[in-house]
Amino acid sequence: MKKISFALLAVAFIYSSCTKDHSITPAKNNSFKISFAATLNTVAVNTWEQVLGGEAIVQFTPENSDSLSLSSKKDSLDLKNISTYNYQLVGGTYTISLSTKSTSVADTFIRFTSEVKDFAVNKDQTISLPATTNDGVITISKSTIDSTVMPTFTPLGTTTPINFGLANGYYFLYIKGATTGRLTFTEATTGDLYLKDLKVTAGNQYDISATLNTIGAIVIHSYPFHLKTSFLQ
């Protein structure tokens, strides 16, 4: 099977340390460049690449410090601008977490949580950041969809359809695992409307196509994807 990956982030954290007695010895201004050269790989049999976006929360929780007492720091960032993000921290040992903020039943980017513990901030280095997701994703090739009618997914028990996004040549929607709902789309060549009730399992991709000349019939190819144990390439 082909490996599918998306470039997740390239982050620079600048860290500085200080001495206990500033009145006697001025603090030495050390700058530690911490970066994430990272991808979130999946395994599937087609060419879908996961979509990154939305607001994320990053938190730095100190575990100990040789120089002073540190407090936990929290910040927010737009994952589309992750490559330009930086944050200043005093040297020490930290638990660092990064998680997407969206808790909605569906969204147009993958949601994930990630964390590294016992990370020593003392030199320029790259962080290995494990991650997990509770999302599944529905994809439909753009070429098979009527461009004037957006595909939608309506979760069971609601009446408000959620529009798909468009990326990588596909209409797509990330959906919280164990969610059941109705998929609706209009086929491009025939103009036929297709409806399908579908339960989404976390970690699965559901690639949808219509069966032409058979009213309402669709084909669902389901591919499980497995996150790597680390974001590092």
Side-chain angles (χ1 to χ4, degrees), residues 77-99:
L77 62 148
D78 184 344
L79 288 173
K80 290 183 179 179
N81 302 322
I82 193 68
S83 63
T84 61
Y85 178 79
N86 62 79
Y87 196 90
Q88 289 189 346
L89 283 178
V90 174
T93 303
Y94 291 83
T95 293
I96 301 174
S97 63
L98 177 68
S99 302

Side-chain angles (χ1 to χ4, degrees), residues 129-155:
L129 191 62
T132 59
T133 183
N134 191 42
D135 277 351
V137 62
I138 299 175
T139 58
I140 314 173
S141 176
K142 177 184 175 182
S143 63
T144 67
I145 297 294
D146 184 335
S147 61
T148 65
V149 184
M150 183 68 70
T152 63
F153 181 83
T154 306

Side-chain angles (χ1 to χ4, degrees), residues 14 52 61-62 88 96 115 139 166 173 184 191 197 200 220-221 223:
I14 301 176
L52 180 68
T61 303
Q88 289 189 346
I96 301 174
E115 182 179 80
T139 58
L166 181 61
L173 191 67
T184 303
D197 292 333
V200 175
I220 303 174
H221 295 287
Y223 310 123

Side-chain angles (χ1 to χ4, degrees), residues 80-206:
K80 290 183 179 179
N81 302 322
I82 193 68
S83 63
T84 61
Y85 178 79
N86 62 79
Y87 196 90
Q88 289 189 346
L89 283 178
V90 174
T93 303
Y94 291 83
T95 293
I96 301 174
S97 63
L98 177 68
S99 302
T100 46
K101 190 174 180 180
S102 171
T103 58
S104 60
V105 69
D107 225 319
T108 54
F109 49 81
I110 192 168
R111 282 77 62 84
F112 64 89
T113 60
S114 55
E115 182 179 80
V116 61
K117 295 183 177 181
D118 302 319
F119 187 81
V121 177
N122 56 20
K123 62 180 179 179
D124 292 356
Q125 55 197 299
T126 301
I127 301 175
S128 177
L129 191 62
T132 59
T133 183
N134 191 42
D135 277 351
V137 62
I138 299 175
T139 58
I140 314 173
S141 176
K142 177 184 175 182
S143 63
T144 67
I145 297 294
D146 184 335
S147 61
T148 65
V149 184
M150 183 68 70
T152 63
F153 181 83
T154 306
L156 183 66
T158 72
T159 58
T160 302
I162 302 171
N163 288 341
F164 277 50
L166 181 61
N168 308 324
Y170 288 83
Y171 287 98
F172 72 97
L173 191 67
Y174 288 98
I175 299 168
K176 188 179 296 185
T179 299
T180 298
R182 172 157 292 187
L183 170 67
T184 303
F185 67 94
T186 301
E187 202 277 326
T189 58
T190 63
D192 290 339
L193 177 66
Y194 287 77
L195 307 173
K196 177 65 178 180
D197 292 333
L198 181 65
K199 183 176 182 178
V200 175
T201 300
N204 273 18
Q205 175 190 356
Y206 299 89

